[in-house]
Amino acid sequence: MSNIEIDKLFVANTYARFNVEIQSGKGSYLYSPEGKEYIDMGSGIGVTAFGIADDVWNNAVIEQLGKVQHTSNLYYTQPCAFLAKELCERTGFKKVFFGNSGAEANECAIKVARKYGEINKGKDFYTIITLKNSFHGRTITTLSATGQDKFHESFNPLTSGFVYATANDIDSVKTLVESNNVCAIMLECVQGEGGVIALEQDFIKGVKEICDKEDILLIVDEVQTGNGRTGKLYAYMHYGIQPDIVSTAKGLGGGLPIGCCMMNQKTESVLSFGDHGSTFGGNPVCCAGALSVLKRIDQKLLDEVNVKSEYIFNELSGAKGVESVSGKGLMIGIKTVRPAKEVLSECMENGVLCLSAKDKVRLLPALNIPMDALKKAVSVIKTACEKI
Ligand SMILES: *Cc1c(COP(=O)(O)O)cnc(C)c1O
């Protein structure tokens, strides 16, 4: 039996996988067992921030593997401490909690928000406003936070206490604040799974003003947008606001599982001993990899991200078969005339792996994708879009 056949027999049917097996890779190139080469325009789903088998990341991880691969959270380790310090120093947040995924980072944010509400506003102030068309994860609570009905079907009852406002409609937020006892508002600055849609500056500023006025926490979900993806270290930095809590994951680990919830001066002391935890959280190998990722996201790299972003926008905006291009930095959505699915499979045949988000083709290449690989990939994508 082939590996694909074995997987189909024994792995739960939760993923509609493409008929492609990846055996190895280097940088922005992936290889199948038959030796077919693909340019990687997805980097997992925005996870392998510096590509596959990147030397710097590999060395950081392997060096830590040779020392200690895990301790419990009963003991201190250097990578966990150093990563927390780097995150705080780069953002102004005061404390971080480490988990293993985006959903877990959001679970932590939600727990902090609820306890903050209870302490500061009263036991009834547990409602969290999220946005329609958002995505916050697959656990029962983060599903509940996700403002898309299709994810809720079959899993009711979900965690209560979530209500959904309309993105870019500040009055819909105000109405929900007036009619609920709200402890937090949670949003993605660029909705990823929702179709790579950047929220408007005025809307995010308006939400922040409401939060400040009503003593409501602002939680920004940077699981996908974080760690250089949008051309700033975190996407909220485009908007001139400082959230109370930021969750992040995906690109932070560079390929190993890590999630992180960052808390500011208002929220750093909400959780106390025993309130939260995670067996694998703060794993030294994951943290060593993440620290190496974070240290390389400097202004020079971000400038390159923005140059490559501009290249993609310029090439594809107004191109034949392209209705619109959206997103920020190297988080890009392409609304194509052809169904996105068809574009994806044609690109795949021609050696380029893209992602989709709703009805769009989604691109999340490695932040350091070489310009020649990017040019080749964009040309293949353009050709696939043209065939209407
Ligand atoms: C991917 C994603 C999540 C969930 O992350 P997991 O690691 O799959 O749990 C949450 N929020 C956003 C915005 C995401 O893109």
Side-chain angles (χ1 to χ4, degrees), residues 259-271:
C260 172
C261 176
M262 301 192 261
M263 295 159 274
N264 71 357
Q265 66 284 352
K266 246 173 144 172
T267 50
E268 63 167 321
S269 305
V270 172
L271 294 180

Side-chain angles (χ1 to χ4, degrees), residues 101-103 106 135-137 188 221 223-224 250:
S101 67
N106 285 337
F135 182 83
H136 297 295
E188 304 152 86
D221 178 343
V223 171
Q224 191 163 155
K250 290 195 168 91

Side-chain angles (χ1 to χ4, degrees), residues 238-259:
H238 289 285
Y239 290 87
I241 53 142
Q242 191 65 46
D244 300 298
I245 300 174
V246 161
S247 57
T248 192
K250 290 195 168 91
L252 178 62
L256 285 174
I258 188 168

